Amino acid sequence: GGRPALAAQPSLPIEAPMTLRRVIALSDAGLSGASRGILGALAVFPPKPNSFDEAAALAVSAADAQEWDALLDAGMVESLGGGRYTLHPSIADYAATLPQMECPAHRLADWAASLPAARSGYWAELGADESNALTAMQLAHESGQGDDHLRVLDAWFDYFEAAGRLDAI
């Protein structure tokens, strides 16, 4: 018995190339419906280099920690250390194509509006979520949810003023 033709030609691919889209689809195939729903909800966050913490992810997705852990285990969310997470731009694009859970933008606004009071006086900690607050305001504005926009703006105004970032809002 001779060697298989592919074994004799190591430069030939044994299987189809592992494109990023294929890797994402394979990872997604192993997710439960709940974890896939979390991933879809996380699409409200801007992609890397933006980051968010677990509390934000759970608030936006209305998920429990076990479902969140499954999403991390599948490699769909990247840990940056220090309790911060991010979505690779390609995964964020993929997540945006998933069926959306109900109201992730509204839940993002709720979370963003509560954050400054929870971290009162800790401007540096708020700074890590500045782009998430701006995204919450933008999504609320685009969807005609003026109350959400105003709640987030009111909650974050002192931060933006102290940071010299009123131009951002």
Side-chain angles (χ1 to χ4, degrees):
R3 292 178 10 186
L6 286 178
Q9 299 291 329
S11 64
L12 293 176
I14 292 176
E15 59 184 65
M18 290 299 285
T19 64
L20 184 55
R21 179 176 292 281
R22 185 166 178 215
V23 170
I24 293 170
L26 288 171
S27 295
D28 179 69
L31 294 177
S32 68
S35 293
R36 192 172 291 112
I38 296 169
L39 185 60
L42 295 180
V44 299
F45 291 110
K48 193 175 184 177
N50 182 64
S51 67
F52 49 88
D53 63 15
E54 181 176 343
L58 296 178
V60 164
S61 63
D64 67 36
Q66 185 177 2
E67 295 162 341
W68 166 248
D69 288 343
L71 195 60
L72 291 175
D73 291 345
M76 300 297 271
V77 178
E78 182 181 343
S79 173
L80 297 176
R84 303 295 295 182
Y85 300 90
T86 191
L87 289 178
H88 183 280
S90 295
I91 292 178
D93 289 346
Y94 180 79
T97 69
L98 295 174
Q100 289 295 307
M101 299 175 74
E102 190 176 339
C103 305
H106 177 70
R107 287 195 296 270
L108 177 62
D110 285 347
W111 168 81
S114 71
L115 200 59
R119 296 184 184 167
S120 181
Y122 294 95
W123 298 123
E125 289 183 23
L126 280 177
D129 285 301
E130 177 182 313
S131 63
N132 295 324
L134 291 170
T135 298
M137 286 187 273
Q138 178 184 350
L139 292 173
H141 177 73
E142 289 173 357
S143 64
Q145 300 299 316
D147 288 349
D148 281 349
H149 183 269
L150 290 175
R151 281 187 311 115
V152 177
L153 175 61
D154 184 52
W156 280 78
F157 188 85
D158 289 344
Y159 164 83
F160 282 107
E161 184 177 45
R165 300 271 297 131
L166 288 178
D167 61 312
I169 55 176

